[in-house]
Amino acid sequence: MIFDQDNNMDIDGSAVDLGQLKNGDIDEALYSRQLYVLGHEAMKRMGSSHILIAGLRGLGVEIAKNIALAGVKSLTLFDPEPAAISDLSSQFFLHPDDVGKPRADVTAPRVAELNAYTPVSIYPSQSLTESLDDLRQYQVIVLTGASLKDQLTIANFAHANGIYIVIADIFGLFGSIFTDFGKQFAIADPTGENPVSGIVADIDSEGLVSALDETRHGLQDDDYVTFSEVQGMDTLNNSEPRKVVVKGPYTFSIGDVSRLGEYKRGGLYTQVKMPKVVDFQPLSEQLQKPEILISDFAKFDRPQQLHLGFQALHAFKDKHGHLPRPHSDEDATQILELTQGLAGQGEDKVELDENLIRELSYQARGDLSPMAAFFGGLAAQEVLKSVSGKFHPIVQWLYFDSLESLPSSVERSEELCKPTGSRYDGQVAVFGAKYQEKLANAKQFLVGAGAIGCEMLKNWALIGLATGPQGKIYVADMDQIEKSNLNRQFLFRPKDVGKLKADCAAEAVQAMNPELKGKIVTFRDRVGPETEHVFTEEFWEGLDGVTNALDNVDARQYVDRRCVFFRKPLVDSGTLGTKGNSQVVLPRLTESYSSSQDPPEQSFPQCTLRSFPNKIEHTIAWAKEKFHQYFVGPPETVNLYISQSNYIEQSLKQAGNEIPTLQSLRDFLVTEKPSTFDDCIIWARNQFEKEYNNAIQQLLYNFPKDSTTASGAPFWSGPKRAPDPLKFDVSNPTHFGFVKATANLHAFNYGIKSDKGMPEARYLEVVDNMVIPEFSPNPTVKIQADENEPDPNAQNGGSSFDDKDELQNLVSSLPPPDSLAGLKLQPVEFEKDDDSNHHVDFITAASNLRAQNYAIAEADRHKTKFIAGKIIPAIATTTALVTGLVVLELYKIIDGKDDIEQYKNGFVNLALPFFGFSEPIASPKGEYLGSKGKVTIDKLWDRFEVEDVTLREFLDDFKGQGLDIMMLSSGVSLLYASFYPPSKLKDRMGLKLSKLVETISKKAIPEHQQNVIFEMTVEDQTEEDVEVPYVMLKMRR
């Protein structure tokens, strides 16, 4: 049986074509963000792969969900076992009325809904091992929850027949994954990072390459590079890749260059990704001598123990027919004995931690949603690696546990952990019934309902968060669902496009767990300073914790500041392609999200963009500026001129910008104002001439190709590439594309209807009838030659007589605003995800034409959209895994743990793969000498809280604590200073603090505001300035 997206069964097996459209292309609207992680080639290989997943409890369905979203040729599911109520602890596609039905039968149609391009079918047999030859049709087999006997049978068959195998299991807070991709497995791109490139400054006779201007080359030992544009060692250009030995951050060696001649100047180096080949061993060998990837170096001794402990669990189940009972000491003793027996075998003896093995036994029946999310993301990524050759696989085992998540505030026992026929039995088996009550009565705020937000709500629904009488979940997201969201925001379906994310996500998880009905409150508001009347102080005070699911740094910092202010725990997380991180922020324990900052976004010098680009990123940035200069700035200026009566007077006060502003008004209202679409085509063709011919001719007039610097060096060398003007060629698709996109956007500005079906011949006819005047360089034009020089065209304050005459002429050339009544231009608002609006088309053409000027390698539309749109690459696997890490930390927060060593900040890169966990950084502490001795303060979390007393009482109170206040301010208002004369303080000293703030700021305190913040500078008993926390005035309203 094959299911399509509408859950229709296709009995004869003729399902839709998958992962790709009929012409072999990929649906970029759906897979947009994932394409920037994997690339077209990897996705095409995935789109021809058949995957089998066995075992459909929480872990299996998580893997199936992630693979279906990613897009493969076909996905087959196997699990004939009847669904149990305890499966609902982590199996999000099961409903209570599915209990007793075969898991695959009820799960397959729901997985099929995720992606129309991935047909989902059910494996037709009751056993995978009864006819192993039937498995030959699959490229990858994934086993979850299988017996060790079946694992060995299938894995050995797969290894012998070139089928890739992934085996994953979770037991409570423990989990493992095993991979076998056969002999000579080729990895096309081990890291997924973009190849680095740079400009050569020198290559000496020993083969030592120096990067220009001491720019870090970014290479590593054993990388490979190729060269181009090298003068002197010409045979080095476009030759076979050379192996790199790094000599320093700015230098690397490429070996023997003795026969290549003498280096003169110039050259570019570019890293070449070389395939890596790995030999995998079969499971039968790896069980005896495992090769293990360490997931947490703080637990270096655990993987070997767990490797044996997991085998002991399989042996116990083979003997008894079931896994050890939750928290059963009797069963744990048997598991310990079995593990000890295994530890005594083989060459390397493993030292066992008895408590660890007992805990593994206690939790063996545990089935936790966040562990399924972690290993489901990990296993699905390994499957995608195997069929795509993209990224380095796990070789060959990985074990992970989160024992720190066990509760310490409540009791666990065999009685408290036993199953009761509840949907939470899989979780109660690990944490006990009392902890389940804590989860049920939590009040959590989720900020963001995108990719991480969807995964978070799924996990919260499965663990039973906020399902109790006091429980509540608040979700805020102002965005609507777009098609590109469907590839990784799995709670949404095509029918939801255009609806609000928060509402749809809440509705989906209430269907997933009906106990959440009436427990979720959604907001369609941005969480920020402008909505503090919505997210009031009472709202924040009523929360138990906050989880960020945002991709915007400013928004994350705002929520972080609110959490610090209201002393609420926060878990923040983010993803970037295969990279992900999670951070815990704990009141009075850790630093906050804002305590550390990402490096600033890369920016380029203006003179580089204007005259001296040397890489495609420069030309794309330049094209984005042109987009604004053509289609955004001038229409906005025109609208201001028409609507504001004193606009000209205001403009003339803007020293340095008057002439460009007035010229823009003249062009858009008089000299270049179009009345037909043909006029827009003419304008577009003229812009081509101006930018790609005239401006380049002027640049070469100022700096001829043979010009030299003051030191005698060639001017056009190093990062400066000598350009060539372009001659318009109507048969060149990039030339034509520029005119078409520019004309349509110009027409949009003026509300001129463009004929979408206009034949190409019409554009050509208009362009052919134009007369383009010959360009003559202007000898008075000055061009900035270097970013360190002053810009010769920068305007100083004040205008010369000539400027004043020109200004007057420009003003007089403009039509009076009242004569333009009814005219309003439409500025273009850049939207990267609408392929019909010409926005990305313009930037792609404009950038590539400039690249042609400077002989820079061009970028296709896909890459241009990525850079210009600042798209954050994303894939469902990383999102699922990171969300699992967040929920494992949330368990600890709800438990009330106050030992910072129990918490983990996580960083992962699934491409490498790399896992890093660290204890959160403690919040900074300080001290001052008060009236009763030394006082230690937490610089981040502490504050002084005061009632609405008078200023005199306030000063006296702090003096009594040993602190003399020198200055007191609120916002930009200075309320008190010790140096103020008594006459100035006389009227202030008797005012209550709230009245004092309103009097000095001349603004009333908003009704919804329950407190006012004061900053102060003070001296302690040493009469030295000391840093103290801020003061919060609590308003009693």
Side-chain angles (χ1 to χ4, degrees):
M1 291 185 292
I2 295 178
F3 295 87
D4 65 19
Q5 199 173 34
D6 297 317
N7 291 344
N8 299 314
M9 278 186 289
D10 188 301
I11 303 301
D12 63 8
S14 57
V16 295
D17 196 16
L18 357 64
Q20 294 159 292
L21 303 177
K22 49 190 170 185
N23 62 355
D25 289 337
I26 292 166
D27 186 345
E28 293 194 9
L30 176 66
Y31 291 119
S32 166
R33 304 307 187 259
Q34 179 175 291
L35 271 167
Y36 294 115
V37 182
L38 299 174
H40 284 81
E41 285 308 309
M43 280 202 60
K44 284 177 180 175
R45 286 194 288 271
M46 285 160 45
S48 60
S49 301
H50 301 277
I51 315 296
L52 169 66
I53 298 176
L56 292 173
R57 296 178 72 207
L59 176 56
V61 79
E62 184 72 45
I63 299 168
K65 178 258 291 180
N66 292 329
I67 292 174
L69 290 172
V72 292
K73 182 82 171 170
S74 74
L75 183 59
T76 305
L77 305 181
F78 170 80
D79 193 336
E81 293 300 313
I85 188 68
S86 60
D87 293 343
L88 273 64
S89 292
S90 63
Q91 220 282 28
F92 46 84
F93 279 151
L94 289 181
H95 305 149
D97 55 4
D98 295 326
V99 171
K101 301 173 186 174
R103 290 194 193 106
D105 290 5
V106 290
T107 302
R110 292 160 195 167
V111 174
E113 290 180 4
L114 295 169
N115 190 345
Y117 298 127
T118 301
V120 178
S121 60
I122 298 170
Y123 192 77
S125 171
Q126 292 294 300
S127 167
L128 290 181
T129 55
E130 68 181 19
S131 178
L132 291 173
D133 280 341
D134 291 343
L135 301 178
R136 295 181 190 275
Q137 61 188 298
Y138 304 106
Q139 277 73 50
V140 192
I141 298 171
V142 182
L143 301 178
T144 70
S147 69
L148 184 56
K149 179 184 175 184
D150 283 356
Q151 288 179 14
L152 284 164
T153 302
I154 294 168
N156 287 339
F157 176 83
H159 187 86
N161 288 277
I163 302 167
Y164 305 140
I165 191 96
V166 176
I167 302 172
D169 279 307
I170 54 173
F171 301 103
L173 289 165
F174 299 89
S176 73
I177 185 169
F178 168 79
T179 64
D180 173 9
F181 299 161
K183 294 279 187 190
Q184 298 287 295
F185 178 75
I187 308 163
D189 180 359
T191 68
E193 299 295 330
N194 290 325
V196 299
S197 60
I199 302 172
V200 175
D202 182 54
I203 306 176
D204 71 12
S205 59
E206 301 296 318
L208 185 71
V209 180
S210 301
L212 186 74
D213 294 337
E214 290 205 334
T215 305
R216 290 180 177 272
H217 52 66
L219 296 165
Q220 298 179 350
D221 284 343
D222 299 329
D223 281 345
Y224 284 78
V225 293
T226 56
F227 292 86
S228 60
E229 302 182 22
V230 175
Q231 297 180 36
M233 295 181 172
D234 292 36
T235 54
L236 196 57
N237 295 327
N238 304 315
S239 62
E240 288 297 308
R242 309 275 299 215
K243 193 172 184 178
V244 165
V245 177
V246 172
K247 297 298 185 182
Y250 315 109
T251 56
F252 59 91
S253 172
I254 55 169
D256 182 16
V257 294
S258 57
R259 299 182 182 179
L260 301 181
E262 187 175 346
Y263 175 80
K264 290 181 181 176
R265 66 170 180 264
L268 306 172
Y269 65 85
T270 303
Q271 180 188 10
V272 178
K273 293 293 184 81
M274 303 296 279
K276 179 179 178 180
V277 176
V278 177
D279 275 334
F280 286 81
Q281 294 179 333
L283 176 63
S284 52
E285 293 179 27
Q286 277 287 304
L287 277 173
Q288 307 307 316
K289 283 191 169 183
E291 186 172 353
I292 299 175
L293 174 70
I294 301 297
S295 63
D296 186 347
F297 283 92
K299 304 173 180 178
F300 194 84
D301 59 335
R302 285 192 188 172
Q304 288 283 357
Q305 297 181 66
L306 295 178
H307 184 69
L308 302 177
F310 276 41
Q311 293 178 59
L313 290 178
H314 283 292
F316 183 98
K317 188 175 181 182
D318 285 345
K319 181 178 179 182
H320 298 284
H322 59 80
L323 287 167
R325 291 163 294 178
H327 223 279
S328 163
D329 285 319
E330 180 187 342
D331 290 354
T333 300
Q334 286 191 53
I335 291 293
L336 180 60
E337 290 170 355
L338 287 166
T339 309
Q340 287 169 337
L342 291 166
Q345 299 171 7
E347 301 170 16
D348 301 321
K349 300 293 183 285
V350 179
E351 191 173 328
L352 296 180
D353 175 347
E354 182 176 326
N355 290 331
L356 177 72
I357 303 303
R358 283 189 171 277
E359 196 58 65
L360 174 61
S361 177
Y362 290 163
Q363 298 183 30
R365 292 196 196 180
D367 189 13
L368 300 177
S369 171
M371 290 296 290
F374 179 91
F375 277 97
L378 191 57
Q381 190 65 60
E382 293 305 302
V383 171
L384 301 182
K385 289 176 186 179
S386 71
V387 295
S388 69
K390 181 95 173 191
F391 310 138
H392 201 294
I394 291 170
V395 183
Q396 289 189 245
W397 296 91
L398 178 138
Y399 288 89
F400 170 81
D401 74 79
S402 183
L403 286 186
E404 304 82 11
S405 298
L406 285 173
S408 51
S409 64
V410 294
E411 184 188 351
R412 291 189 304 145
S413 66
E414 187 169 359
E415 178 64 25
L416 289 169
C417 295
K418 71 180 182 183
T420 59
S422 157
R423 63 176 295 137
Y424 307 116
D425 277 353
Q427 184 165 254
V428 170
V430 179
F431 297 126
K434 290 183 179 177
Y435 182 74
Q436 190 63 43
E437 288 179 27
K438 276 196 159 191
L439 285 172
N441 289 301
K443 290 180 275 294
Q444 291 287 322
F445 183 23
L446 178 65
V447 190
I452 290 178
C454 282
E455 293 286 341
M456 202 70 66
L457 282 171
K458 172 203 75 180
N459 277 278
W460 287 6
L462 293 170
I463 68 174
L465 186 80
T467 53
Q470 281 85 48
K472 210 77 172 176
I473 292 172
Y474 302 93
V475 186
D477 196 310
M478 63 180 293
D479 287 344
Q480 294 175 315
I481 298 163
E482 300 173 359
K483 185 179 179 183
S484 65
N485 300 149
L486 303 179
N487 172 237
R488 63 203 184 282
Q489 300 177 18
F490 91 105
L491 294 180
F492 308 141
R493 301 291 179 267
K495 66 180 173 57
D496 298 324
V497 171
K499 297 178 184 176
L500 285 165
K501 288 184 177 181
D503 292 347
C504 285
E507 188 180 327
V509 294
Q510 286 174 88
M512 198 175 282
N513 185 351
E515 293 179 20
L516 276 175
K517 286 203 168 114
K519 296 293 183 178
I520 304 180
V521 178
T522 61
F523 298 89
R524 56 183 66 186
D525 304 274
R526 186 194 307 277
V527 181
E530 70 278 10
T531 55
E532 287 182 4
H533 64 289
V534 177
F535 304 102
T536 61
E537 291 165 23
E538 291 91 346
F539 171 82
W540 287 97
E541 293 286 3
L543 299 173
D544 294 327
V546 181
T547 300
N548 264 350
L550 296 161
D551 61 3
N552 177 303
V553 171
D554 290 340
R556 290 161 87 169
Q557 289 178 336
Y558 173 79
V559 173
D560 176 65
R561 290 195 299 273
R562 292 268 91 184
C563 288
V564 171
F565 183 80
F566 291 103
R567 293 172 176 155
K568 299 297 177 183
L570 166 71
V571 192
D572 189 279
S573 59
T575 68
L576 181 69
T578 58
K579 303 182 182 102
N581 72 285
S582 61
Q583 179 182 356
V584 191
V585 177
L586 302 164
R588 295 188 173 90
L589 285 179
T590 72
E591 67 175 20
S592 74
Y593 172 81
S594 306
S595 299
S596 57
Q597 291 188 335
D598 292 331
E601 197 173 295
Q602 184 183 23
S603 60
F604 305 116
Q606 275 302 309
C607 76
T608 299
L609 298 185
R610 281 198 296 255
S611 305
F612 308 114
N614 59 60
K615 54 185 180 180
I616 198 66
E617 287 81 4
H618 294 157
T619 67
I620 292 172
W622 177 88
K624 272 204 83 173
E625 285 193 0
K626 289 298 167 189
F627 185 92
H628 189 275
Q629 289 171 19
Y630 287 175
F631 314 119
V632 185
E636 289 176 345
T637 302
V638 167
N639 291 341
L640 289 171
Y641 173 71
I642 295 170
S643 62
Q644 292 184 8
S645 57
N646 63 340
Y647 182 74
I648 292 294
E649 291 78 1
Q650 292 296 322
S651 295
L652 294 179
K653 293 177 184 175
Q654 299 172 10
N657 291 323
E658 318 97 316
I659 290 178
T661 299
L662 293 172
Q663 286 174 335
S664 176
L665 284 170
R666 178 203 61 197
D667 293 346
F668 270 65
L669 286 173
V670 183
T671 57
E672 298 175 359
K673 182 184 176 186
S675 56
T676 67
F677 189 70
D678 284 2
D679 292 339
C680 297
I681 297 174
I682 292 168
W683 185 82
R685 171 66 183 87
N686 283 328
Q687 300 315 304
F688 179 99
E689 200 67 20
K690 174 182 164 189
E691 302 293 357
Y692 304 110
N693 180 35
N694 302 357
I696 301 300
Q697 286 197 48
Q698 182 69 55
L699 180 63
L700 291 172
Y701 175 84
N702 286 52
F703 305 109
K705 288 193 175 185
D706 60 358
S707 55
T708 56
T709 64
S711 64
F715 178 83
W716 294 105
S717 62
K720 289 187 173 73
R721 301 174 68 82
D724 291 296
L726 296 184
K727 182 176 175 58
F728 185 76
D729 177 2
V730 77
S731 65
N732 184 312
T734 309
H735 295 209
F736 177 78
F738 174 84
V739 170
K740 181 178 180 180
T742 305
N744 276 277
L745 291 170
H746 197 54
F748 177 86
N749 284 152
Y750 285 90
I752 295 171
K753 186 178 180 184
S754 62
D755 184 358
K756 289 195 174 179
M758 178 180 286
E760 192 173 306
R762 178 60 189 153
Y763 286 91
L764 305 184
E765 182 184 340
V766 174
V767 168
D768 284 345
N769 289 331
M770 291 177 64
V771 177
I772 305 295
E774 285 293 320
F775 175 75
S776 297
N778 183 346
T780 66
V781 169
K782 296 176 181 177
I783 297 175
Q784 186 182 9
D786 189 274
E787 65 198 76
N788 298 319
E789 295 179 3
D791 184 352
N793 299 303
Q795 301 260 342
N796 297 320
S799 300
S800 66
F801 286 114
D802 289 344
D803 284 349
K804 287 179 179 174
D805 288 342
E806 184 177 356
L807 285 170
Q808 194 51 51
N809 290 334
L810 284 167
V811 170
S812 62
S813 71
L814 298 176
D818 54 12
S819 71
L820 301 168
L823 176 67
K824 184 179 182 183
L825 299 196
Q826 182 68 42
V828 176
E829 187 175 335
F830 180 64
E831 171 48 60
K832 60 186 177 289
D833 285 321
D834 180 353
D835 289 341
S836 67
N837 63 13
H838 302 286
H839 298 188
V840 176
D841 295 333
F842 169 82
I843 291 172
T844 304
S847 165
N848 283 338
L849 288 171
R850 187 141 174 99
Q852 290 174 19
N853 279 138
Y854 287 87
I856 297 168
E858 297 174 36
D860 61 15
R861 189 183 189 280
H862 180 69
K863 181 176 179 179
T864 303
K865 175 180 172 179
F866 175 65
I867 296 171
K870 297 181 179 178
I871 289 175
I872 299 172
I875 188 167
T877 50
T878 316
T879 305
L881 185 147
V882 165
T883 309
L885 292 178
V886 169
V887 177
L888 291 171
E889 297 306 304
L890 184 64
Y891 280 145
K892 304 171 189 177
I893 291 170
I894 290 173
D895 184 45
K897 294 184 190 299
D898 56 7
D899 178 3
I900 195 172
E901 293 182 2
Q902 297 297 305
Y903 290 89
K904 298 272 188 181
N905 287 345
F907 176 81
V908 300
N909 185 342
L910 296 185
L912 298 178
F914 170 81
F915 301 85
F917 296 96
S918 63
E919 182 183 306
I921 297 173
S923 51
K925 306 296 190 287
E927 60 180 32
Y928 64 85
L929 187 61
S931 55
K932 296 180 181 178
K934 277 189 179 179
V935 178
T936 301
I937 56 167
D938 189 307
K939 292 183 179 180
L940 179 63
W941 295 97
D942 280 346
R943 62 175 173 243
F944 297 104
E945 295 186 1
V946 299
E947 300 294 327
D948 197 5
V949 297
T950 65
L951 177 59
R952 179 177 287 108
E953 291 170 326
F954 179 83
L955 296 172
D956 290 346
D957 180 49
F958 275 92
K959 192 168 187 63
Q961 296 180 52
L963 296 173
D964 288 317
I965 296 176
M966 300 292 104
M967 284 191 288
L968 180 70
S969 62
S970 180
V972 296
S973 301
L974 185 59
L975 309 176
Y976 167 84
S978 59
F979 53 78
Y980 276 176
S983 58
K984 190 166 186 175
L985 293 174
K986 178 183 168 188
D987 294 335
R988 301 187 183 191
M989 297 299 274
L991 292 178
K992 289 202 168 185
L993 294 174
S994 60
K995 188 67 178 173
L996 178 63
V997 170
E998 292 182 328
T999 303
I1000 304 302
S1001 69
K1002 298 179 180 173
K1003 285 192 295 189
I1005 298 169
E1007 278 297 318
H1008 67 267
Q1009 193 172 319
Q1010 298 296 313
N1011 52 62
V1012 180
I1013 302 303
F1014 297 92
E1015 301 285 349
M1016 57 185 184
T1017 57
V1018 303
E1019 291 180 356
D1020 67 357
Q1021 296 296 286
T1022 65
E1023 298 187 355
E1024 295 287 336
D1025 285 348
V1026 290
E1027 186 180 348
V1028 293
Y1030 65 90
V1031 178
M1032 184 177 89
L1033 164 62
K1034 294 187 288 186
M1035 311 276 286
R1036 300 294 183 189
R1037 293 187 169 183

